[in-house]
Amino acid sequence: MMLTRFLFERIDRGGWVFLVLLGIAAVLVPVLNLAVPPGSMFHVSNTAVGLWGKYMTYALLAIAVDLVWGYCGILSLGHGAFFALGGYAMGMYLMLQIGPRGVYAHPTLPDFMVFLNWTELPVAWWGFSSFPYAMLMVALVPGLLAFVFGWFAFRSRVTGVYLSIITQALTYALMLAFFRNDMGFGGNNGLTDFKDILGFNIQSQTTRAVLFSLSVLALMAGYLVARAIVTSKAGKIIIAIRDAEPRTRFLGYRVENFKLFVWTVSAVMAGIAGALYVPQVGIINPSEFSPANSIEAIVWVAVGGRGTLVGAALGAGLVNFAKSWFTGAFPQGWLFALGGLFILVTLFLPKGILGTFTDWWKRRGETRKPPTASPASQPAE
Amino acid sequence: MLIDPMETQLPADPVKAIERPQVVTQSLLYLDGVSVSFDGFRAINNLSLIIAPGEMRAIIGPNGAGKTTMMDIITGKTKPDAGDVIFDGQIDLTQLDETAIANLGIGRKFQKPTVFEMHTVEVNIEMAVKADRTVFGTLFSRQSAAIGRRVDDILGIVRLGDHRNRLAGDLSHGQKQWLEIGMLLAQDPKLLLVDEPAAGMTDVETGATADLLKDIARTHSVVVVEHDMGFIRELGVKVTCLHEGSVLAEGSLDQVSADERVIEVYLGR
């Protein structure tokens, strides 16, 4: 009761439109995919379900990035690390579900461990055959890493471009570590060849449709949590920290604690997104830690509109849709297009698509109404 | 740093020196022998200053005299190399950070007006009003009538009632100065440090600001740094002139401005 009020009380009209559209998609897409015959014009193809399911997890990552960057001014160039860690936790569960069906038919060990002549499961893998434990790790591992990282970084007052560089280094270091075979996470091949999740065949179209719906629900939940945070009084302080950090400190707020809070929440959100991503694409490997991925997430948010949440999700969808189309039509041109897009948005749409649209909508409303004597038009004393 | 950085409130047992002399315990702010250097430059040099409870003090001095650095030291932004900074007769401020000092009851207005430009005037004040300042306290806090009334009061005092729903970034320079003073008041501090409140104001605004500060000084201790001698004359309080990081002269404005050395370094002949 308290929680529903906390989550739903301060959603604006745009937010409701976003939630309703997502709710419709969560129900309609699986129905149109499974129940409508492939010949019909209303049929949603299996490829589309997989693709849009992936976009939903990207959108959740974008909201996580927007929460720290758009509202708290922390430009993270390493959020892909939290996404990948969540993905690895899910991947480890899925690997242990394969059981004796692997290529080497070992009863407990995943194929790559048999290949490396390991005889028993490394400690880091203990417990991952349990789904609840794996789900706990999906949130806990990125959350804990973010907490420890943030604890030191924010306490030492590392800000701005220095912090961005450290986050970049963090994800790069993790990438190098996960590339190593002796880390025990599959080296450069990563984790793949998944068979089933909670006993359901991961390849079956029903499972894939359910995973799509779950991704949409996770995106909705992520939006609700982020929206509740940024509209609370704590959210106002977080925005204040973004705009005038010393002022906030001299008002008596512990800036580092507020930063640590949004940073950790955001990392957990990114981890959950990664965990939903892996079963849909069927693989997780160290390239998910690559700095380019994290930077791409920043571009999504910038394109959609930072500090809007809905815009971030929208940007993730649009940019990735463009990427899918582009890599099909001009495989060599995508990175140029992405770079060009970032430059264009920074120059001509500094508030992103949604921010620009909102401004235009407001101006339109003002010009239509007859001008009334508003306090804003009074002369300054 | 001896204080646990997680500690938001005043530590249960403030760092006390054994038996401080009466001059310390009866003062609100006591600076003794304070020095600080930046890369060999002595910004503050053996500075001593006593502010009594309820007092209003004006600080003048040429550029680079150490006025702003002194405020940095009092508010915990800069740690002194030597000397005592004692608040309320017993609390050693050199051991605390900005947040802890702000929560002890020292409010600070910056030289350049600093307000939260993306928030409305009302929200700016609301955030400053004394209330729970922890992450989870603010996350679940609900609008309270008491805070609303306090915001109304403050907006009335700083004459921004008509502008409450405007973005702070849209205010004029003078209005931003007042908003920041309003935020200071909302914190309900024991001591207000006000850095150049009249800078960039018109004569009318300067007069209004002097009235506002005199009003505030009836219930609070105030330290004002200012260059505008007309403004200081209007305040009519004790004046301290700083030069090269230490006190050059202290007394009424007439005494200080008659001082040969003050004329030499600051007022000019």
Side-chain angles (χ1 to χ4, degrees):
Chain A
M1 189 55 211
M2 269 276 296
L3 190 71
T4 39
R5 204 162 76 166
F6 176 67
L7 286 177
F8 289 95
E9 190 175 44
R10 290 175 296 245
I11 296 171
D12 56 356
R13 210 167 43 183
W16 281 118
V17 171
F18 179 66
L19 286 173
V20 168
L21 286 179
L22 283 180
I24 292 172
V27 178
L28 210 57
V29 168
V31 169
L32 293 182
N33 173 238
L34 298 172
V36 176
S40 162
M41 64 177 291
F42 293 109
H43 177 73
V44 174
S45 73
N46 295 352
T47 333
V49 172
L51 209 55
W52 284 97
K54 195 172 85 170
Y55 294 169
M56 294 299 162
T57 65
Y58 284 155
L60 182 55
L61 173 62
I63 284 185
V65 170
D66 196 22
L67 187 59
V68 288
W69 184 39
Y71 290 91
C72 201
I74 306 168
L75 174 59
S76 168
L77 297 180
H79 252 54
F82 305 124
F83 183 83
L85 284 172
Y88 264 95
M90 177 59 103
M92 286 158 78
Y93 163 77
L94 295 172
M95 282 308 264
L96 295 184
Q97 294 308 297
I98 299 172
R101 287 169 293 173
V103 178
Y104 296 106
H106 192 284
T108 52
L109 290 190
D111 280 344
F112 77 88
M113 294 186 193
V114 183
F115 182 77
L116 292 170
N117 290 324
W118 292 4
T119 50
E120 54 188 31
L121 214 53
V123 179
W125 284 71
W126 290 4
F128 271 95
S129 53
S130 144
F131 186 73
Y133 175 81
M135 291 308 101
L136 184 69
M137 288 301 130
V138 159
L140 205 62
V141 172
L144 207 63
L145 176 69
F147 186 85
V148 172
F149 177 89
W151 176 280
F152 288 109
F154 301 141
R155 215 139 292 256
S156 331
R157 300 196 185 172
V158 181
T159 53
V161 66
Y162 302 99
L163 188 81
S164 302
I165 291 169
I166 304 179
T167 55
Q168 179 105 88
L170 173 80
T171 193
Y172 192 67
L174 281 168
M175 179 175 77
L176 294 182
F178 274 74
F179 262 127
R180 294 166 58 92
N181 276 330
D182 49 12
M183 269 288 279
F185 298 104
N188 60 350
N189 294 319
L191 313 174
T192 185
D193 225 3
F194 308 134
K195 304 284 189 228
D196 47 32
I197 177 166
L198 284 172
F200 299 102
N201 181 359
I202 209 159
Q203 305 290 347
S204 90
Q205 202 45 47
T206 320
T207 313
R208 299 181 68 84
V210 170
L211 282 170
F212 170 86
S213 295
L214 285 176
S215 304
V216 178
L217 290 179
L219 176 59
M220 291 164 79
Y223 169 73
L224 285 175
V225 169
R227 175 81 193 171
I229 291 174
V230 300
T231 51
S232 71
K233 189 175 177 191
K236 289 173 184 163
I237 293 150
I238 286 160
I239 293 170
I241 292 171
R242 177 192 72 190
D243 293 341
E245 184 171 329
R247 176 77 275 173
T248 321
R249 225 182 267 286
F250 284 115
L251 276 188
Y253 291 101
R254 286 249 162 249
V255 166
E256 52 273 28
N257 290 1
F258 283 87
K259 283 186 174 178
L260 192 57
F261 171 72
V262 274
W263 177 251
T264 308
V265 169
S266 167
V268 170
M269 231 181 246
I272 293 169
L276 284 160
Y277 169 83
V278 166
Q280 299 190 77
V281 299
I283 183 167
I284 173 85
N285 64 31
S287 68
E288 292 296 337
F289 285 106
S290 107
N293 284 20
S294 302
I295 293 171
E296 224 168 283
I298 294 292
V299 179
W300 307 337
V301 177
V303 169
R306 61 183 282 222
T308 58
L309 298 180
V310 174
L314 206 68
L318 282 175
V319 175
N320 280 293
F321 184 73
K323 184 182 185 177
S324 300
W325 178 79
F326 230 98
T327 43
F330 313 99
Q332 310 298 323
W334 169 243
L335 281 180
F336 293 101
L338 184 71
L341 184 67
F342 191 50
I343 293 171
L344 285 179
V345 165
T346 317
L347 285 180
F348 299 111
L349 294 177
K351 290 180 167 180
I353 293 170
L354 194 71
T356 310
F357 175 77
T358 318
D359 280 0
W360 171 79
W361 187 262
K362 269 189 202 151
R363 267 207 308 278
R364 206 186 65 128
E366 271 167 25
T367 47
R368 276 199 314 186
K369 265 184 278 176
T372 49
S374 68
S377 61
Q378 282 178 3
E381 288 163 60
Chain B
M1 286 286 291
L2 298 174
I3 300 300
D4 176 1
M6 290 298 287
E7 190 73 68
T8 311
Q9 301 301 322
L10 175 64
D13 181 26
V15 194
K16 283 181 191 174
I18 317 126
E19 289 204 20
R20 297 200 193 278
Q22 210 179 22
V23 59
V24 179
T25 55
Q26 288 186 351
S27 66
L28 182 68
L29 183 68
Y30 178 88
L31 276 74
D32 186 30
V34 176
S35 297
V36 68
S37 317
F38 303 118
D39 299 324
F41 170 69
R42 284 219 149 189
I44 297 283
N45 188 8
N46 200 18
L47 173 71
S48 299
L49 185 77
I50 297 173
I51 307 290
E55 186 184 351
M56 166 135 98
R57 177 75 62 91
I59 312 268
I60 59 171
N63 288 327
K67 304 183 296 290
T68 301
T69 310
M70 182 192 80
M71 292 210 172
D72 285 347
I73 289 173
I74 297 169
T75 52
K77 191 173 173 222
T78 302
K79 297 282 166 232
D81 301 332
D84 289 330
V85 184
I86 314 285
F87 179 64
D88 221 359
Q90 54 179 13
I91 302 154
D92 183 356
L93 294 183
T94 60
Q95 302 299 319
L96 302 172
D97 70 354
E98 297 102 314
T99 311
I101 291 173
N103 285 321
L104 275 178
I106 297 183
R108 174 176 189 182
K109 198 199 87 62
F110 293 92
Q111 195 168 345
K112 179 175 171 285
T114 314
V115 293
F116 304 122
E117 308 221 331
M118 296 300 284
H119 283 314
T120 61
V121 168
E122 189 175 6
V123 169
N124 267 273
I125 301 283
E126 196 183 294
M127 285 174 56
V129 170
K130 216 173 183 178
D132 190 341
R133 270 159 163 57
T134 60
V135 173
F136 292 100
T138 51
L139 188 60
F140 298 106
S141 89
R142 312 202 58 88
Q143 203 83 20
S144 88
I147 289 183
R149 274 196 302 275
R150 181 100 179 103
V151 171
D152 291 343
D153 286 350
I154 306 266
L155 285 174
I157 295 171
V158 296
R159 300 157 210 186
L160 288 171
D162 291 343
H163 303 279
R164 60 189 306 154
N165 292 321
R166 288 178 71 188
L167 284 184
D170 295 341
L171 295 179
S172 74
H173 180 84
Q175 288 168 331
K176 280 184 193 168
Q177 298 268 37
W178 283 337
L179 176 57
E180 203 179 0
I181 293 173
M183 288 162 76
L184 238 65
L185 277 179
Q187 285 177 264
D188 195 19
K190 290 180 188 158
L191 174 65
L192 286 86
L193 304 175
V194 190
D195 205 347
E196 300 203 15
M201 284 188 169
T202 63
D203 287 348
V204 181
E205 285 175 329
T206 305
T209 307
D211 290 342
L212 176 61
L213 281 180
K214 278 192 281 190
D215 243 16
I216 292 169
R218 268 187 244 145
T219 43
H220 300 81
S221 306
V222 184
V223 174
V224 190
V225 167
E226 192 41 79
H227 278 298
D228 186 329
M229 296 309 270
F231 179 80
I232 288 174
R233 187 165 298 281
E234 222 165 304
L235 292 180
V237 295
K238 189 172 172 184
V239 176
T240 299
C241 180
L242 295 191
H243 179 55
E244 290 177 350
S246 40
V247 175
L248 190 66
E250 205 164 76
S252 74
L253 181 60
D254 291 331
Q255 283 171 332
V256 170
S257 44
D259 189 297
E260 275 299 308
R261 289 169 307 166
V262 174
I263 294 169
E264 181 75 33
V265 304
Y266 184 51
L267 298 174
R269 286 177 199 281

